[in-house]
Amino acid sequence: MTSFPRVLVTWKDIVGVEETWVDLDEARAVRVAVVDTMGWVITNDEEFLIIVSSLFRDQSDAGSVTTIPKGCIVSIRQITETAPYQPPANL
C-alpha cells in the first residue's frame, strides 16, 4: 500500500466579485485569499500539487480533491505525529 504524506499547504487563491457592476475603487481593493489546506498528497509534480482531505483505508477512493498550481503555493509543511495512527477497534 502506498504511503501518502500528510501536509499543510498555504496557498493564494483567486478571488472574484460576483456583482454585475462594481465601483472601480472597490474592484481595485480586491485581493487574493490566503488559504490553508490540509490533506494527503496524491500527486506532486512540476506543475501542481493534488491533495485529498479524505482517503479510504484501502486507498481505493478519495474525497475533497484540491489541485493547487505550484505558482500559487506559499509553503508546504509535512504533518508528523508523535504516535502512529490507530484505527478504532470497533471498525
Side-chain angles (χ1 to χ4, degrees):
M1 195 173 293
T2 304
S3 176
F4 297 107
R6 288 185 349 162
V7 295
L8 174 63
V9 181
T10 300
W11 57 288
K12 294 180 181 179
D13 196 7
I14 296 168
V15 172
V17 177
E18 296 293 325
E19 297 177 34
T20 305
W21 297 102
V22 179
D23 178 79
L24 286 180
D25 289 335
E26 184 180 340
R28 287 184 184 105
V30 176
R31 299 291 182 259
V32 298
V34 179
V35 180
D36 287 328
T37 302
M38 190 178 315
W40 287 272
V41 175
I42 61 168
T43 299
N44 185 4
D45 65 22
E46 64 279 345
E47 293 184 50
F48 53 86
L49 179 77
I50 301 176
I51 64 175
V52 298
S53 66
S54 297
L55 186 62
F56 277 19
R57 285 189 181 174
D58 68 2
Q59 299 179 356
S60 63
D61 291 280
S64 300
V65 179
T66 303
T67 301
I68 306 169
K70 286 289 182 84
C72 296
I73 295 174
V74 175
S75 66
I76 302 172
R77 190 173 76 214
Q78 188 155 355
I79 299 168
T80 58
E81 298 179 86
T82 56
Y85 171 71
Q86 295 293 323
N90 61 346
L91 292 180

